[in-house]
Amino acid sequence: MLGSIRPHRRALRSAFLASAALCAAPFAAFADDRPATPKGAQGLDALFATYLGSNAATTAPAGDHYDVTIDVAKMMAPLSAFGVSAEPAQTHFSLTEQGDGAWRVARDGDLAMTFRFADSHYQAAIDGYKLDGVFDPAIAGFRSLQVGVDKQTVHMVSPELEETSVTGPLRMTGSGAAAQGGGLSGALRQEGGDASVVIAEVKSGDAATPPPTTFRYSGAAFEATFDNFHAHETLDLWRLLVAHPSRAELAANESALKDRLRALLPIADKLNEAASFEKLSIDTPMGAVEVGGFRLSIAAEGVPSDRDAEFHLAFEKLALPANLTRAAADFVPTSIDLGVRFGGLDLRGAVEEAIDDFHLAGDGPIFTDADRAKVDSLIARSSSILVTLLPSHIVAPQLDLSLQGDFEMTSGRSTGKLVVTARNFERMMAAVRSNPAAAPQMLATLTMAQGLGKPDADGALTWVAEYGADGTVKVNGQPLGKTP
């Protein structure tokens, strides 16, 4: 499927989503259990035309299944005016109708394709691509899905960058079921082998070309869960876009387009994503950077919405080039566990305002300056942005800090509280005193901080910094003046 040629960790996730987009809609009209027939193939062709464009897919009965060929060039024809094309522009898969109205979707074989854009192109070669899933039209999604890739090579060129990536075996599994809210709930898990990504900056004229940057990673994993994804509404929107491929046609149906867009909000009630790498290294002109046990996660409710979103970043090892850390090696973090929660932004309101305000008639911008300002001001009008620093931990050879706090950020000053706890503070002070590169101001600042710190039973020092609405700052109750 098309999505499988997306680079890096998004490759197999995109395969799942693209499979749904290419295969979902045509099955709803074929709920009866029957063998592959010429009449059934004609019906599938008609339904594919509804969602992919006229003559974009051809279907032929082949024993107990249908062979389907999608002409990607025809499917992307509405984008040709924007300089978008695909070659060799064909992909194949098979459909087998199940007795309960579901469909088995399968593909097995190498895949190579090039996408060209106005000023860039994207080439992908996938060896040993296999897809096997069961699609349920009732939920407009896959009950189960397995995708495998033996090797993936991607080459992307733009006026600014040239990127080449090679990824070892990739495997993904997915599952889906009807959500209580009427949409689709499901989960995806992707695991990858070794990979390398080389990014080179493109220079023209006499400008010197900087050396490329190489990323390498191993033991990659990606997980995603979503609840009440609006799968049927997404297909309704796609069907409208296929039926009216030009701007003029969409302008004539602008009211229906806006209705379809509003029906998507929020696109999902919950969305959680997590990525991890056993080992990640970056070769730079200054030396190698290595990160171990890297983890990143994002969790959001209502996408988009005015509800909270949470981010979490952690790693268990960090090695920087020696020439960068020699003077401060004692204080370069070797592990970090950091969590942040954001709230207060009315993103859904801004999207709804944008839907209300855009107009497609004519050839000019779809937003006037006044309408664009309305959308921007809706976000800015949020009474406040709430930022919570969740209990976090930073460790270095001579540093051990715990942090947490809450802040309310308005157009004026930020208010809130930050709690910092340092363990082994005396050892850190000794490391600073013995470091010839340490600035005198650093030692003076740490000496003052030691005097303000509140010791606990274990000897750790804690500072509670409070930021007032008038700009005043207090540390453990002691006023320190005002923030600028």
Side-chain angles (χ1 to χ4, degrees), residues 205-237:
D206 297 330
T209 302
T213 299
T214 300
F215 296 80
R216 295 183 177 86
Y217 58 83
S218 60
F222 167 80
E223 293 182 272
T225 59
F226 50 92
D227 182 46
N228 200 31
F229 169 67
H230 289 188
H232 288 289
E233 291 83 356
T234 301
L235 292 174
D236 288 342
L237 172 62

Side-chain angles (χ1 to χ4, degrees), residues 111-202:
L111 179 64
M113 193 167 291
T114 299
F115 289 92
R116 300 191 182 279
F117 305 90
D119 58 357
S120 60
H121 67 270
Y122 171 104
Q123 296 174 307
I126 302 176
D127 300 334
Y129 173 52
K130 296 181 179 180
L131 181 149
D132 193 351
V134 176
F135 183 90
D136 185 349
I139 61 174
F142 283 90
R143 296 178 188 166
S144 63
L145 181 69
Q146 293 184 336
V147 180
V149 171
D150 292 339
K151 181 181 178 182
Q152 177 177 272
T153 304
V154 174
H155 184 62
M156 295 183 290
V157 178
S158 71
E160 296 82 21
L161 295 173
E162 182 171 353
E163 178 178 337
T164 301
S165 66
V166 180
T167 307
L170 300 170
R171 298 292 181 266
M172 186 186 76
T173 58
S175 61
Q180 189 172 10
L184 174 67
S185 293
L188 299 172
R189 177 170 177 81
Q190 170 188 316
E191 296 179 347
D194 296 341
S196 65
V197 183
V198 180
I199 302 176
E201 187 176 348
V202 176

